[in-house]
Structure formats: C-alpha cells, structure tokens
C-alpha cells in the first residue's frame, strides 16, 4: 500500500500548489482579515449549518428561518470578496469530488454506488 | 490541477493492486458467491444501516432492536469468512481514512478540523 501513500502525498502537493487552492486561500485570508467581512461570512455559514443540521435531524424549518437564510444569502452575494470566495470554494469542491471519485473507483466497484443497492 | 488528477489515478492503481484491496475483494466475492453467507451478511448490513439512520434522525432505538442487532453481530462473527471480510473492511477503511487525511491537509489548514471551530 506504500505506493498509495506516495500518491497521496503527491496529490497533497499538487492540490496545495494548484491555482484553485492558491486563489481560495487568498480570498479566504482576505475575507478573514477584515472583521466586518468575517462577521458577515461566519454568520452566513452558521445559519447554513444550523439549517442543514435541522434538515438531517428531520426537524421542521420555520418560515422565519427560511427568510433569515435568504437575507444572509443576499447579503453575502452583494459582498464582492465573499461572493468570489464562495465561487472559489465551489470550484475547489468540484475538483475534490472529482478526485475522490477517481480514488474510490476500486471500492465503488465492490460495493456499488451509494443508493444503488447491492 | 492536472498533477492532482495524475496523482489520483496513480492512487487508484495503487489501491487496486494493494494486498489490502486484493484480499478484501477475494473475501467479498467468496461471501457473495454463497447464498446463505450473502443472506446473513446482507441482513447484518441492513440492520446496521437502519440503526445508523435512526440514530442520525434522532429517533429512538428500542430494546428489541438492540437485541436483534446484537444477535446478528454474534451470528456474523461466528461465520469465519464473514468475520474475515469484516476485518478486511476494517483494515481497508483505516487506510482510506489515512489517505484522505493526507489529501485533505491543505483544506484542513484553511478551515480547521471539523468540530474545532474556526
Ligand atoms: Ca462572481
Ligand atoms: Ca479473525
């Protein structure tokens, strides 16, 4: 299995030096360096996470919570740096999902895709 | 990012040819080739998944369900091939977790470990 570890370290270096990661880190640091931006972004993230958690637990999400979430989405979308950061995160997560799909192929062949049954 | 894809394909090949994966596949095929073993293993898996789902949804798990789960665990543990398969799965999942930890280091550095806050 040592070859797999070598490949993992190579992937780690490749991700770290990729344009996608360098840009993501630049925007992340930029947002977090400004207290107002950081506060707005943290608030948005907390609300998203709270709603996700509720959904996973099968709890009801109120109309008020939906409206509050929509407001924070509109707020961060109007903030150019945060909007760019969110786009950079989106691009990064697509890449990570692609890479994971490649790596997990051998196990997927054994067990089938999640949700497809056996 | 093309280097990361090259590394992902190298990792895929390394996993597929590893002793851990070859042994896992051998045992998985052995269990699934025998209808009685397959039935016992599928039943065990279904009960585990049902309980996990209930736990995630915050639903109560009855004493009866706990006893039923314990019985199926005892049953599969007494089946030599299924017991070996479960150990092979355990070893494989440790390796996959290790590899994921290596690959995810750059993102972990940005966002912190899950549960550690920001
Ligand atoms: Ca934009
Ligand atoms: Ca054993």
């Amino acid at each position: 299995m040592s070859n797999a570890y070598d490949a993992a370290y190579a992937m780690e270096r490749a991700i770290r030096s990729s344009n996608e990661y360098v840009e993501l880190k630049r925007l992340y640091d930029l947002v977090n360096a400004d207290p107002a931006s950081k506060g707005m972004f943290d608030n948005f993230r907390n609300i998203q996470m709270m709603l996700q958690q509720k959904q996973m637990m099968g709890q009801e999400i109120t109309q008020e919570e939906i409206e509050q979430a929509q407001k924070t989405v509109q707020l961060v979308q109007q903030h150019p740096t945060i909007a760019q950061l969110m786009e950079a995160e989106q691009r990064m997560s697509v890449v990570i999902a692609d890479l994971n799909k490649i790596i997990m192929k051998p196990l997927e062949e054994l067990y089938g895709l999640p949700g497809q049954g056996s």
Side-chain angles (χ1 to χ4, degrees), chain A residues 3-18 21 92 95-104:
Chain A
N3 288 342
Y5 284 87
D6 292 344
Y9 285 112
M11 196 185 302
E12 196 266 352
R13 290 189 299 274
I15 290 170
R16 195 183 289 278
S17 58
S18 69
Y21 182 77
M92 191 79 225
V95 170
I96 296 292
D98 275 359
L99 295 174
N100 264 319
K101 213 176 149 192
I102 294 167
I103 300 162
M104 286 301 120

Side-chain angles (χ1 to χ4, degrees), chain A residues 16 24-25 37 57 61 63 77 91 93 96 110 117-118:
Chain A
R16 195 183 289 278
L24 173 62
K25 183 163 168 35
S37 307
M57 304 282 286
I61 294 167
Q63 187 58 34
Q77 280 175 345
R91 283 191 297 270
S93 76
I96 296 292
L110 267 195
S118 58

Side-chain angles (χ1 to χ4, degrees), chain A residues 46-66 68:
Chain A
N46 290 339
I47 289 169
Q48 297 285 322
M49 263 164 40
M50 184 264 289
L51 292 182
Q52 257 177 30
Q53 199 107 20
K54 277 199 157 189
Q55 216 159 21
M56 267 169 44
M57 304 282 286
Q59 289 171 6
E60 206 180 335
I61 294 167
T62 66
Q63 187 58 34
E64 227 184 308
E65 285 172 331
I66 292 170
Q68 190 200 14

